Amino acid sequence: KGKHNVVYIPHGITSDFYSVDRSVRKENIVLTVGNWLRDYEFANKVYDYILKFAGYGFNKAHSVSYAYFAYQMAYLKVHYPEVFIANLLNMNTFNTVKTKEYLDEAKKRNIYILKPDINLSNLDYKIGKGKLRLPMTVIKNVGEIAVKDIIFERNENGLFKDINDFAMRVYGKSVNRKT
């Protein structure tokens, strides 16, 4: 026992606790703690407490953490569904199965899904006025580099007026005929 009634466990106990043979494990721990504290009955109780805690303590701590996390996720899903789904989509950008699943969930929740817009879309799914705006990367053959170049041009020189203005300003960089 230490200064504040804390039991300091000798170094060898932790490795003994994970040994294969339970009887050897108990004997080694009880002898070590018993020799150290000079109280074998107390050492036996300590071992029983360790064994009891090992049976449920680790699982209980994790289940509480996961339950709390699940509660937070459920709260966000119910009270902020647009933001919740947008973040799920942004985390699974390249997973087409999950993307379809989350977009279907958005439709079920009556979240209006806006198509990609050359003047409004970005790299990520965005929420605006309760609506979900798709990124330009959902368009076939439009990659991240092309979108970055389009966004850069849009930010530097303003919105695109029409398809000709778009082609004049970005064609030839990372944007080509296939894009």
Side-chain angles (χ1 to χ4, degrees):
K1 291 188 178 186
K3 190 175 183 181
H4 302 286
N5 293 330
V6 176
V7 176
Y8 296 101
I9 299 174
H11 174 65
I13 289 180
T14 53
S15 59
D16 287 339
F17 191 74
Y18 293 103
S19 68
V20 178
D21 185 2
R22 280 189 171 192
S23 61
V24 170
R25 179 171 58 199
K26 181 172 183 171
E27 184 179 320
N28 287 344
I29 291 173
V30 169
L31 283 174
T32 304
V33 173
N35 288 336
W36 182 57
L37 295 175
R38 306 277 189 245
D39 184 353
Y40 294 99
E41 187 177 322
F42 179 73
N44 211 15
K45 285 182 184 177
V46 168
Y47 178 81
D48 290 339
Y49 285 132
I50 290 171
L51 197 58
K52 183 179 177 185
F53 181 76
Y56 78 91
F58 179 79
N59 297 332
K60 193 173 191 178
H62 276 75
S63 64
V64 168
S65 298
Y66 286 122
Y68 184 65
F69 181 71
Y71 166 76
Q72 289 176 322
M73 297 293 285
Y75 180 86
L76 293 172
K77 187 175 183 179
V78 169
H79 295 284
Y80 304 98
E82 298 92 357
V83 177
F84 182 80
I85 289 176
N87 281 296
L88 284 176
L89 287 163
N90 286 328
M91 288 187 315
N92 293 285
T93 303
F94 300 108
N95 184 338
T96 55
V97 174
K98 287 286 186 188
T99 297
K100 183 179 179 343
E101 184 181 319
Y102 297 143
L103 287 173
D104 289 344
E105 177 73 20
K107 289 174 188 172
K108 283 182 201 171
R109 295 182 161 275
N110 296 321
I111 298 170
Y112 192 74
I113 299 171
L114 299 169
K115 295 177 182 173
D117 184 315
I118 201 75
N119 286 319
L120 301 172
S121 294
N122 291 309
L123 277 169
D124 295 329
Y125 292 84
K126 298 287 182 199
I127 293 296
K129 298 178 185 170
K131 298 175 182 176
L132 178 66
R133 169 78 59 193
L134 297 177
M136 286 185 269
T137 52
V138 299
I139 302 168
K140 186 176 181 179
N141 296 324
V142 177
E144 191 174 321
I145 296 170
V147 172
K148 285 180 180 178
D149 286 345
I150 292 167
I151 293 169
F152 178 78
E153 178 62 32
R154 183 178 70 200
N155 291 340
E156 289 293 311
N157 299 309
L159 300 177
F160 299 102
K161 294 176 183 78
D162 55 29
I163 189 71
N164 292 326
D165 182 40
F166 172 74
M168 294 289 290
R169 288 168 50 185
V170 296
Y171 189 78
K173 298 176 182 176
S174 58
V175 177
N176 57 33
R177 176 185 251 164
K178 196 173 181 183
T179 308

